[in-house]
Amino acid sequence: MQLKSGANGTAITEFILLGLMETPQLWPVVFVLFLFAYLVTVGGNLSILAAILVEPKLHTPMYFFLGNLSVLDIGCISVTVPSTLSRLLSCKCTISYRACLTQIFFFHLLVGVDCFLLTTMAYDRFLAICRPLTYSTRMSQTVQRMLVVVSWACAFTNALSHTVAISTLNFCGPSVINHFYCDLPQLFQLSCSSTQLNELLLFAVGFMMAGTPMALIVTSYIHVAAAVLRIRSAEGRKKAFSTCGSHLTVVAIFYGSGIFNYMRLGSTKLSDKDKAVGIFNTVINPMLNPIIYSLRNPDVRGALWRMLRGVRSLA
């Protein structure tokens, strides 16, 4: 543990990340699994992004947002996994104070955009199914870009506020983080100063960043379900639900793991459950998204298959 002297006394300049396994003999296994997950996530999301770009049939608002979600998934897993792989290779378990804050900033930036983007995708389905006559006007390319820009702006403000708030805390020891990446709950437990205001900020902003989008998603799909059930054709109902099923699955996984992770701030000790949830948030969730969208969506499946065969769509 390296220390430096400052105006507020002795402060930590780096943290020790224990990682997933404290047994060095298991590190090669963890390295292979994480590398496999990273390659699958990046490859899967790049494939979906390429299919959306080259397939004219997928040049619609829904797939525009899906392409943005693929970029976010690549970013989310890239914030944590490459650094973890690097530490496993070098057998170096430390991370500098600045690198830790940087990781927190980009993690919350990308997760925040994810929250708003999933809400935007629900709003898109609401307009497409419940307001089909005005859909093209309400979801024009200008509106699509504005929704994405606003999502990034709100998420940036959220990430910056948390990063600035955590930088005001004093860390004078211990410096051991029982996890494989830096996040707010882990640093709260190591702080020598009071974290009450930081926790209040996390809950307040978390309500706006997660609670409000979740309420909007639920409201949108209540209207969607009511509209779909009024469709007399069974084939029509099946097609309408198929466009929403993938998104609902991703929303359930994303919010379920996120709520469990940040609702346990009062716990005095991080356990293996917290590490498991961390793996779900940063590794499994981004890896599952392209699998869910490609398996459940016939348009994406068809575009990927044609792209692999080198056949261009006539649509």
Side-chain angles (χ1 to χ4, degrees), residues 165 168-170 188 191-199:
T168 63
L169 299 179
N170 294 323
F188 287 168
S191 175
C192 301
S193 48
S194 173
T195 61
Q196 185 176 4
L197 290 178
N198 296 76
E199 292 182 12

Side-chain angles (χ1 to χ4, degrees), residues 111-147:
V111 169
V113 179
D114 221 332
C115 281
F116 290 115
L117 195 60
L118 290 174
T119 308
T120 301
M121 294 172 76
Y123 176 64
D124 172 72
R125 291 298 84 207
F126 164 75
L127 290 180
I129 295 174
C130 301
R131 305 288 187 271
L133 297 179
T134 59
Y135 175 68
S136 58
T137 304
R138 295 190 181 189
M139 196 54 74
S140 63
Q141 288 189 355
T142 303
V143 173
Q144 295 169 42
R145 296 190 184 102
M146 285 180 59
L147 288 171

Side-chain angles (χ1 to χ4, degrees), residues 20-56:
L20 295 173
M21 300 290 181
E22 297 183 29
T23 307
Q25 289 79 6
L26 295 177
W27 289 357
V29 177
V30 176
F31 178 86
V32 171
L33 291 176
F34 267 51
L35 180 60
F36 173 77
Y38 185 72
L39 293 176
V40 169
T41 302
V42 173
N45 282 291
L46 285 178
S47 298
I48 288 181
L49 195 58
I52 292 172
L53 290 174
V54 303
E55 181 73 19

